[in-house]
Amino acid sequence: MTTGAVGNITRIPELNRRILFTFGMLAVYRIGCAIPTPGVDVAAIKSFFEQSGGVFSLLNMFSGGALEQFSIFALGIMPYISASIILQLLQVVIPHLAELRKEGEEGRRVITRYTRYGTVILALIQGMLISTALEGGVFGPAVADPGWSFRLMTMITLVAGTSFIMWLGEQITERGIGNG
C-alpha cells in the first residue's frame, strides 16, 4: 500500500465515521473490562492468576484480560461463539434448522435470534458455575458475602456483560469496520 492510498482514507467521510465508531466501541469495551463484578475480591483473583497458568491464562486471554480482573465482561464473547457453534452443529441434526438456513435472510434472522437465546442460556450456566467456584474457594477467599444473593448478582452481572458485548459486536458489524 502506498502513502497516497493511506492518505485517501482520510478523505472518505463514511470510512472515517466507521473507523471512529469502531474505535469508540473498543474503548467502551476496555472501560467495561476495568469495572469489577460486585462482591468479588479482585486482588485474590489476580494473585490466583499470577500463581497458576495454563488453561486459566488461555481463558483470560480470550476475555481480553477481563477474567483476571473479574470484570463485568469476564465471560467475554465465548458464550456467543459456543452458542453459534452449537447451532451450526444442530443444523445438521435438526431438519427445521436446516430449512431455516436455506430460507435466506429471514431464516438467518431466526437462527441469529436462537443464537442470542443460546448465548444467554450458556452465560447463565457459566455465571452459576463461576460464582459457585468463587464461593468454594477455588480462587482463594474471593467472596466477601457468599450465598444465593451473591450467586444471582454474579450471574445477572455476567449475563448482562456478555449480552452487552454481543450487542457491541452487532453494532460494530452494522456501523463499524469488519465483523464485530
Side-chain angles (χ1 to χ4, degrees), residues 12 32 98 147:
I12 305 170

Side-chain angles (χ1 to χ4, degrees), residues 131-153:
S131 64
T132 304
L134 284 168
E135 285 182 329
V138 172
F139 297 100
V143 178
D145 189 23
W148 275 103
S149 61
F150 168 76
R151 286 185 213 134
L152 289 174
M153 179 180 53

Side-chain angles (χ1 to χ4, degrees), residues 81-163:
I81 293 170
S82 299
S84 178
I85 291 169
I86 289 168
L87 266 163
Q88 286 178 359
L89 292 173
L90 287 177
Q91 288 176 15
V92 176
V93 179
I94 300 174
H96 174 69
L97 290 175
E99 290 173 18
L100 282 175
R101 182 181 58 193
K102 295 175 185 173
E103 287 182 10
E105 187 61 35
E106 183 60 33
R108 226 173 294 132
R109 270 189 286 230
V110 172
I111 290 174
T112 300
R113 189 169 3 119
Y114 290 164
T115 304
R116 290 179 188 142
Y117 294 151
T119 300
V120 170
I121 291 168
L122 287 174
L124 279 169
I125 293 168
Q126 289 177 355
M128 180 62 175
L129 292 173
I130 287 176
S131 64
T132 304
L134 284 168
E135 285 182 329
V138 172
F139 297 100
V143 178
D145 189 23
W148 275 103
S149 61
F150 168 76
R151 286 185 213 134
L152 289 174
M153 179 180 53
T154 302
M155 286 171 56
I156 291 169
T157 302
L158 293 177
V159 169
T162 297
S163 298

Side-chain angles (χ1 to χ4, degrees), residues 5-88:
V6 174
N8 287 337
I9 291 174
T10 59
R11 294 186 188 120
I12 305 170
E14 176 65 20
L15 184 59
N16 288 334
R17 277 193 299 277
R18 287 181 172 272
I19 290 171
L20 288 174
F21 183 82
T22 302
F23 281 135
M25 293 296 103
L26 291 174
V28 168
Y29 174 77
R30 292 310 304 164
I31 290 168
C33 285
I35 301 171
T37 300
V40 176
D41 182 9
V42 178
I45 294 175
K46 280 188 179 184
S47 69
F48 171 80
F49 274 95
E50 288 171 0
Q51 294 170 3
S52 66
V55 175
F56 290 108
S57 295
L58 184 65
L59 289 173
N60 188 46
M61 180 186 69
F62 279 119
S63 70
L67 186 58
E68 181 181 36
Q69 298 175 22
F70 207 73
S71 77
I72 58 174
F73 294 160
L75 292 181
I77 199 70
M78 291 304 291
Y80 179 79
I81 293 170
S82 299
S84 178
I85 291 169
I86 289 168
L87 266 163
Q88 286 178 359

